[in-house]
Amino acid sequence: MGEALTIRVRHAIVAVAGEVDIATVTRLRERLFELAASGRTLVVDLDQVSFIDSSGLAALVGSARRAAAHGASLQVVCARPRTRQLFRLTGLDGQVPLARTLDGALESLAAARPAPR
């Protein structure tokens, strides 16, 4: 087995570290689905993820769909070229917005918010 998976949530930011694979994805999926169902916009930071497989990608897409169903959104932060390439090759970058930095994701979300009346 590889690195242990850790999940830290602070406000609407979910920081994931370690390996996301068939052995660890259940914890991540359950946590993301729970947060997405709350209607909070989420930012999932994958910069400390050393490996992600198709089950991890599916959990992110499912969480993004759940967030959308509850009037929110999910954005992924990842600067790692291999992980970004996985999103591009699978076409998931069209379903889950990607940002290179946490600041970039937060700025994008702030710009998308409607202006107060």
Side-chain angles (χ1 to χ4, degrees):
M1 274 223 173
E3 296 177 43
L5 179 69
T6 61
I7 304 166
R8 289 189 339 261
V9 180
R10 175 178 260 171
H11 305 290
I13 301 167
V14 181
V16 184
E19 294 184 359
V20 181
D21 58 22
I22 193 72
T24 62
V25 75
T26 301
R27 282 184 41 225
L28 178 62
R29 183 185 321 103
E30 288 174 355
R31 188 68 174 126
L32 289 177
F33 275 30
E34 172 190 331
L35 292 166
S38 74
R40 295 189 326 184
T41 294
L42 301 174
V43 175
V44 181
D45 186 346
L46 299 180
D47 271 348
Q48 298 302 311
V49 170
S50 57
F51 176 82
I52 187 167
D53 69 6
S54 61
S55 66
L57 295 175
L60 291 168
V61 171
S63 300
R65 288 182 180 154
R66 181 166 291 220
H70 290 279
S73 63
L74 180 143
Q75 187 166 23
V76 171
V77 174
C78 183
R80 291 179 181 243
R82 295 180 103 196
T83 304
R84 292 181 71 82
Q85 184 179 26
L86 278 176
F87 276 87
R88 277 192 306 277
L89 291 173
T90 57
L92 296 179
D93 58 339
Q95 295 180 45
V96 179
L98 292 177
R100 289 190 186 280
T101 66
L102 183 55
D103 286 343
L106 296 174
E107 288 171 12
S108 172
L109 291 173
R113 255 187 234 128
R117 294 181 189 203

